[in-house]
Amino acid sequence: MTTIQSRRKLIVIILLCVAVGGAALRQWAAPGSTTRDIGTLLMLLWVPIIGNVISWLIGRLRRPAPPAASPFDERASFDPQLLVELTLRPPLVPAEDIPVPAGEHRCALVIGNEAFSARWWVAPDRSFRRGSPQALEMEFVAPLLALPRFQPGASFRMLVGESFVGDGRVLRRLEPAPQGA
């Protein structure tokens, strides 16, 4: 249980105890007295608790299904099919102007109105800043569909999430690695 969850649980317990105490106070106070009115107010503290429980239940019912596994998750190695020159657009916020980290990056490459899922890799010893052209290797989820569209010299845009984050062009196709190497 996280700290926030434990705090919420404690608050619910305290509010329920105060509401029960208000009900007891109301039961033993004289009708029409200020003490009975205070007991009634304390008893009403259960209302936000019930609202929170109902909203929690609705949130549980509407929770989206976990995302489907990517075909890249099933592949053990990175087998690039293209060498591209990619220029990532500089960020609009200066605080986000940090080097592109090493590791795997996933995107969609868009030519015209067609997009193809791809991934690219930045070596551990190599990071770079956005705005400068970089030669990078790309691997497609469906290379048989994508490669005919990505001929040497073809221009494309890079889509990550809902935003175009870069522009590039195909330098050359890469030959598949020999089997058993």
Side-chain angles (χ1 to χ4, degrees), residues 1-14:
M1 185 179 301
T2 65
T3 305
I4 292 175
Q5 289 173 331
S6 62
R7 286 181 185 167
R8 285 181 181 169
K9 188 176 183 179
L10 178 65
I11 289 169
V12 167
I13 291 169
I14 290 171

Side-chain angles (χ1 to χ4, degrees), residues 92-153:
L92 299 174
V93 179
E96 294 176 359
D97 191 15
I98 57 174
V100 175
E104 178 186 290
H105 301 273
R106 296 182 182 183
C107 63
L109 299 183
V110 180
I111 288 185
N113 61 355
E114 295 179 298
F116 301 92
S117 294
R119 68 178 172 176
W120 48 287
W121 189 266
V122 177
D125 60 338
R126 180 179 167 210
S127 66
F128 61 90
R129 289 216 177 269
R130 291 167 163 72
S132 61
Q134 299 292 318
L136 299 167
E137 296 176 334
M138 291 281 177
E139 177 185 17
F140 291 103
V141 167
L144 295 176
L145 293 174
L147 288 176
R149 309 278 195 289
F150 288 87
Q151 297 299 323

Side-chain angles (χ1 to χ4, degrees), residues 44-128:
L44 289 175
L45 289 176
W46 69 271
V47 174
I49 295 169
I50 296 302
N52 283 334
V53 169
I54 290 171
S55 67
W56 176 79
L57 287 173
I58 289 172
R60 296 281 296 197
L61 293 175
R62 291 186 180 170
R63 183 167 291 157
S70 169
F72 284 129
D73 295 335
E74 299 169 4
R75 298 183 186 173
S77 63
F78 179 69
D79 297 319
Q81 292 103 12
L82 287 180
L83 180 65
V84 300
E85 180 183 72
L86 181 65
T87 305
L88 294 175
R89 296 175 184 168
L92 299 174
V93 179
E96 294 176 359
D97 191 15
I98 57 174
V100 175
E104 178 186 290
H105 301 273
R106 296 182 182 183
C107 63
L109 299 183
V110 180
I111 288 185
N113 61 355
E114 295 179 298
F116 301 92
S117 294
R119 68 178 172 176
W120 48 287
W121 189 266
V122 177
D125 60 338
R126 180 179 167 210
S127 66
F128 61 90

